[in-house]
Amino acid sequence: MEMKTLYLSQEDVKNVGITMADIIDAVEKGFVEMGNGRVEMPPKPGIHPGEGGDNFIHAMPAFIPAMKSAGVKWVSGYPVNQKKGLPYIMGLLMLNDPETGMVKSIMDCVWITAMRTGAASAVSAKYLARPESSTIGILASGVQAHTNLEAMNALFP
């Protein structure tokens, strides 16, 4: 077996061509697996370096056997970065082969995180919103406002 790790930048990840509808479907499947106790996802350890106390760096490991998915997201959030022209959220997602442990890919997780968060909101609305609803209110700004609206539009055109 050849050991090969794929490295994907944020631009590479965006250009894969996965749609919000695909992401919503994957998130829903993951939620079903989690709800049925078939996901290994320990509490995320975190550190909080820097001034101000609002900074974080978290490790978020998970294993979903039904999706043949194992990996860890290493993500940071630094509110002051916006004043420096840097994103608030940054990080990497490392996926492993669940059968061998080999690192299959290392990729930027900023776009993935934003899209997954919007998709999670849409899955929640699918089951919790009134069927006759025709109006949405989004209490967010920036990236989360956009991805939540995109996800709702994908699920409720």
Side-chain angles (χ1 to χ4, degrees):
M1 172 182 256
E2 182 183 3
M3 290 186 56
K4 199 172 192 179
T5 302
L6 178 64
Y7 293 90
L8 298 171
S9 69
Q10 185 177 44
E11 201 59 35
D12 293 333
V13 171
K14 285 181 186 178
N15 290 330
V16 166
I18 189 167
T19 67
M20 180 56 89
D22 294 331
I23 297 166
I24 292 168
D25 184 54
V27 167
E28 185 172 3
K29 286 176 182 170
F31 283 175
V32 167
E33 291 302 302
M34 182 80 167
N36 287 312
R38 297 186 293 253
V39 171
E40 186 177 348
M41 191 171 76
K44 58 185 170 191
I47 57 176
H48 303 87
E51 301 288 325
D54 290 333
N55 301 335
F56 68 85
I57 302 174
H58 290 161
M60 302 165 73
F63 172 46
I64 308 173
M67 298 174 86
K68 297 180 180 158
S69 181
V72 63
K73 181 166 82 167
W74 182 252
V75 64
S76 65
Y78 278 62
V80 298
N81 278 355
Q82 294 167 324
K83 293 177 185 171
K84 299 175 182 180
L86 296 169
Y88 166 51
I89 299 290
M90 292 186 278
L92 296 173
L93 176 61
M94 182 170 54
L95 294 178
N96 298 79
D97 181 326
E99 293 181 22
T100 65
M102 185 179 88
V103 177
K104 293 170 71 171
S105 67
I106 298 172
M107 63 188 89
D108 183 277
C109 75
V110 173
W111 183 86
I112 294 167
T113 297
M115 298 298 277
R116 192 240 12 116
T117 303
S121 296
V123 172
S124 297
K126 177 179 176 178
Y127 293 98
L128 300 173
R130 293 184 188 126
E132 71 278 4
S133 297
S134 61
T135 303
I136 186 170
I138 296 177
L139 302 176
S141 62
V143 172
Q144 287 309 306
H146 292 283
T147 59
N148 273 271
L149 184 58
E150 181 180 349
M152 296 300 175
N153 190 52
L155 201 57
F156 307 103

